[in-house]
Amino acid sequence: MTIHPSRNTSMSNSKPSPIEKIKTSSKGLRGTLQESLQDEITGAVREQDHALIKFHGMYEQDDRDVREERAAKKLDKLYSFMIRLRIPGGYMKADQWVAAHHIAGNYSTGVVKITTRQTIQLHGILKHQIKPTLQDFNAVHLDSIAACGDVNRNVACTSHPSESPIHEEVHAYADKISRLLLPKTRAFYEIWLDEEKLVEYDETDPLYQDRYLPRKFKIGIAIPPNNDVDVLTNDLGLIAIIENGKLTGFNIAVGGGLSTTHGNPDTYARLATVIGFTAGEEKTLKAVYEVLTIQRDFGNRSDRKLARLKYTLDKMGIDAFRKELEQRCGFELEETKPYNFTARTDRYGWQADHRGNWHYTLFVENGRVTDEVDVPLKTALLEIAETGKIIFRFTSNQNLILSEIQPDDKPVIESILQRYGILERDESIGLMRKNSIACVALPTCPLALAEAQRYLPSLISSLEPLLEKHQLKEEGIITRMTGCPNGCARPYAAEIGLVGTGPGRYNLHLGGDREGTRLNTRYREQLDEAGILSELDIVFDQYNKNKKEQENFGDYVQRTIL
């Protein structure tokens, strides 16, 4: 692949943000992390390392539930770390799940959290436990490199093999892109895996250089007609084009992103714009790479709230962006190929693929894999993994697919699911709950203004009687909640979106579509639970009485209310 030199053409002439200096002076993301680890006075890392540690796949956090209590006792905050793995396309082998199960029990809160980007993360890891955690993951060929930070994050891809006979071919792009866009620095290996070097800094990274990207970068790959990855919410989306049973290439979509800031009208949610088509692997990977170089060179490095690709695209203009991309690629994009999305949900229960292998998608509420009183899910999954007869696949809706099960092995897996009550539980769960996701929020996310994953389950329990009242139980309305406006659970692309504004308060957004091709609109502000239930009671009633035949909830709201 031909690498074009950097053109220092940043669109912002303002003073770079403090993070920019931290990155360029970090000696390939090493900073003073080694010294921070050796500091036993605090459970935190040094201030300048807060940004750098993200590039290694982790965030420093503290338990906000005990902040006041510890402050009253004049104690430091209860610092810990969240570690997120890099798992392109959400594909994990059985022995890797077994390892993750035990690592979670040995070093973290014990909960394995499936994220909206098809990976897992562990919370509550203390500073002295980071190295053994990462070393144990490394032993089963898992790492957290570039899972956070101003780089390309975990690459998401349509998860279920039964979506297409060529799913495997498309899914392979997630790993190819992940490898192509990895930072070249060996800092991760030196700091966490005790690889020698640590002194001389002579690495060259043609893509990220010494400044990396202005902000995080997300890539999703979709196989129509199921938009289960919400491909248009990514900075860069690839939409697989299949003709006569063969993958011909991808439509390229750029500029998606949902993060906003309350009270800042310059920030906004945006769906990606499809700008053209690339045929074949070489051109597709080249286009992906050069989209990142454009963002590297033109992105806003002075205001991080305006630093995502969506702002770069809108400032340049779509035509100018495409022209710059074609110039860097050395070829013109072809015209967009026709495609159609009809859904964006997970295929729950048993499904067979074109080869006759079986896959079982089980519901994991808000991605939290743990042992509950009624269903010991974590224990059940360990027993299933220990059979060695499956592959684990994580979905962008925070669920789990027990995948690649041979026909002769299906009874063994099914008996375990039956014995632990998972089959019965999954059959009893309502469609709104199955189509809901929430971010982590409190107590660990420092940005959270309100609850999300701890609250959404009970809110849905309060909404379900309203669905029953208005004969809407079978509607499967897509519902999402976040504790702040950053949009990690994609609330702005939901039929019902709830965005935290303060303790117990949420903005209510309505009118996204079922396919993920339209954003919703803020309908009411600062609602408590009673307000949410009251407003939705009214809208549910109107929908039930006045909807057209086969009209989805979001489409009705868009047509009649907004």
Side-chain angles (χ1 to χ4, degrees):
M1 178 180 292
T2 304
I3 304 297
H4 293 284
S6 166
R7 310 172 191 191
N8 292 308
T9 49
S10 173
M11 300 187 74
S12 173
N13 295 318
S14 304
K15 182 180 178 181
S17 70
I19 299 294
E20 293 302 313
K21 183 177 180 181
I22 290 173
K23 288 187 288 189
T24 55
S25 61
S26 69
K27 296 184 178 179
L29 305 178
R30 292 167 178 85
T32 58
L33 280 170
Q34 198 73 343
E35 292 80 358
S36 284
L37 291 177
Q38 295 167 0
D39 185 355
E40 298 180 357
I41 297 176
T42 176
V45 296
R46 297 182 177 183
E47 186 175 352
Q48 64 268 31
D49 292 329
H50 288 168
L52 296 182
I53 205 164
K54 296 176 185 178
F55 291 82
H56 298 259
M58 63 196 84
Y59 280 81
E60 180 182 288
Q61 301 177 328
D62 75 280
D63 189 338
R64 293 172 61 180
D65 284 349
V66 299
R67 269 188 190 176
E68 290 186 12
E69 177 187 344
R70 292 180 68 85
K73 296 178 180 178
K74 301 192 183 308
L75 295 173
D76 202 359
K77 293 177 182 178
L78 184 57
Y79 290 109
S80 65
F81 295 81
M82 178 273 283
I83 292 180
R84 179 184 299 153
L85 297 184
R86 180 179 63 92
I87 310 176
Y91 179 97
M92 178 181 273
K93 296 178 181 178
D95 65 314
Q96 293 175 321
W97 179 266
V98 172
H101 174 102
H102 293 304
I103 291 168
N106 292 337
Y107 305 118
S108 78
T109 62
V111 176
V112 178
K113 169 75 174 182
I114 303 172
T115 80
T116 57
R117 296 209 61 77
Q118 295 180 307
T119 183
I120 62 171
Q121 60 192 40
L122 304 182
H123 290 260
I125 299 168
L126 301 180
K127 187 168 71 173
H128 71 274
Q129 297 172 322
I130 298 175
K131 284 184 74 169
T133 299
L134 293 177
Q135 289 174 354
D136 284 359
F137 274 128
N138 181 66
V140 289
H141 308 290
L142 291 170
D143 65 62
S144 61
I145 301 169
C148 315
D150 298 344
V151 286
N152 174 59
R153 304 284 187 89
N154 198 57
V155 181
C157 182
T158 291
S159 53
H160 207 296
S162 67
E163 295 293 350
S164 170
I166 63 166
H167 176 270
E168 186 176 357
E169 182 182 356
V170 176
H171 193 274
Y173 273 84
D175 188 62
K176 292 173 184 176
I177 292 170
S178 180
R179 292 177 183 274
L180 175 68
L181 304 180
L182 276 179
K184 297 294 186 286
T185 173
R186 299 292 297 179
F188 180 89
Y189 303 93
E190 295 172 11
I191 295 169
W192 310 111
L193 305 182
D194 294 328
E195 189 181 273
E196 285 300 318
K197 219 171 174 179
L198 271 184
V199 216
E200 303 165 30
Y201 170 57
D202 57 359
E203 295 154 329
T204 300
D205 192 330
L207 174 58
Y208 294 116
Q209 302 168 354
D210 65 348
R211 51 188 175 143
Y212 300 90
L213 297 179
R215 270 304 251 119
K216 61 186 175 183
F217 198 95
K218 296 180 179 180
I219 297 176
I221 308 169
I223 303 176
N226 194 358
N227 184 21
D228 61 326
V229 297
D230 259 330
V231 68
L232 299 179
T233 65
N234 288 269
D235 294 272
L236 171 60
L238 298 179
I239 302 168
I241 302 300
I242 300 169
E243 298 174 347
N244 300 318
K246 293 184 178 180
L247 177 67
T248 60
F250 296 88
N251 283 341
I252 306 288
V254 295
L258 300 185
S259 59
T260 68
T261 301
H262 287 317
N264 185 344
D266 292 332
T267 66
Y268 49 83
R270 188 189 195 283
L271 293 181
T273 301
V274 181
I275 61 171
F277 171 83
T278 53
E281 180 178 321
E282 183 178 353
K283 285 188 174 181
T284 298
L285 294 182
K286 178 63 172 173
V288 167
Y289 186 95
E290 295 300 349
V291 168
L292 267 78
T293 68
I294 293 174
Q295 169 65 349
R296 177 197 67 200
D297 294 343
F298 286 87
N300 189 324
R301 291 184 180 270
S302 61
D303 187 344
R304 290 180 63 80
K305 295 185 184 301
L306 303 176
R308 293 288 293 275
L309 180 66
K310 59 184 175 181
Y311 301 112
T312 307
L313 176 67
D314 285 344
K315 194 164 186 179
M316 292 180 70
I318 294 169
D319 291 341
F321 187 96
R322 175 171 170 158
K323 183 178 179 181
E324 180 71 23
L325 178 59
E326 291 174 337
Q327 185 176 347
R328 293 185 180 216
C329 286
F331 58 82
E332 292 186 356
L333 300 181
E334 298 180 36
E335 289 303 308
T336 300
K337 304 288 186 181
Y339 67 95
N340 184 42
F341 288 130
T342 60
R344 53 173 167 157
T345 55
D346 290 338
R347 292 172 172 261
Y348 288 104
W350 287 107
Q351 298 274 342
D353 64 23
H354 64 286
R355 297 170 299 177
N357 290 333
W358 287 93
H359 312 267
Y360 183 85
T361 304
L362 59 90
F363 175 67
V364 183
E365 192 154 30
N366 300 322
R368 297 185 76 253
V369 178
T370 186
D371 284 342
E372 303 289 355
V373 175
D374 53 341
V375 176
L377 179 60
K378 189 180 174 190
T379 297
L381 292 178
L382 175 63
E383 185 172 331
I384 289 171
E386 286 175 336
T387 68
K389 299 179 184 299
I390 69 161
I391 294 294
F392 284 71
R393 294 181 185 271
F394 309 117
T395 81
S396 292
N397 293 309
Q398 298 179 300
N399 294 311
L400 175 61
I401 306 173
L402 307 177
S403 191
E404 311 292 339
I405 301 169
Q406 299 291 320
D408 290 345
D409 296 328
K410 182 173 179 274
V412 175
I413 304 302
E414 191 163 32
S415 67
I416 299 173
L417 292 171
Q418 184 74 49
R419 179 156 40 87
Y420 283 95
I422 294 171
L423 294 180
E424 182 180 357
R425 182 211 62 166
D426 283 357
E427 290 174 2
S428 69
I429 295 171
L431 286 179
M432 173 180 270
R433 194 178 299 274
K434 282 185 174 179
N435 287 343
S436 69
I437 57 177
C439 70
V440 173
L442 296 169
T444 53
C445 178
L447 301 176
L449 304 170
E451 296 280 2
Q453 74 172 14
R454 296 197 298 193
Y455 172 52
L456 183 57
S458 67
L459 178 63
I460 289 178
S461 294
S462 298
L463 286 169
E464 286 175 330
L466 296 182
L467 296 173
E468 181 85 39
K469 171 184 173 183
H470 299 293
Q471 302 173 16
L472 300 176
K473 279 184 64 178
E474 303 304 316
E475 285 301 317
I477 299 169
I478 295 175
T479 306
R480 297 169 178 174
M481 174 181 282
T482 55
C484 82
N486 283 285
C488 293
R490 308 191 295 277
Y492 307 112
E495 291 181 279
I496 298 175
L498 293 155
V499 180
T501 59
R505 298 281 175 171
Y506 300 84
N507 287 344
L508 173 62
H509 294 245
L510 299 176
D513 62 13
R514 198 63 61 89
E515 300 81 23
T517 60
R518 181 181 68 233
L519 294 176
N520 55 32
T521 300
R522 189 168 60 208
Y523 179 66
R524 295 288 186 267
E525 297 182 358
Q526 301 280 2
L527 297 179
D528 59 9
E529 180 170 315
I532 294 169
L533 296 177
S534 175
E535 292 291 345
L536 289 178
D537 188 18
I538 295 169
V539 179
F540 287 165
D541 181 57
Q542 294 173 352
Y543 172 54
N544 181 45
K545 291 176 179 176
N546 304 313
K547 66 180 177 177
K548 296 179 179 179
E549 187 176 357
Q550 303 300 317
E551 186 174 30
N552 292 324
F553 177 74
D555 292 337
Y556 169 81
V557 172
Q558 180 70 25
R559 177 175 65 85
T560 65
I561 297 177
L562 299 178

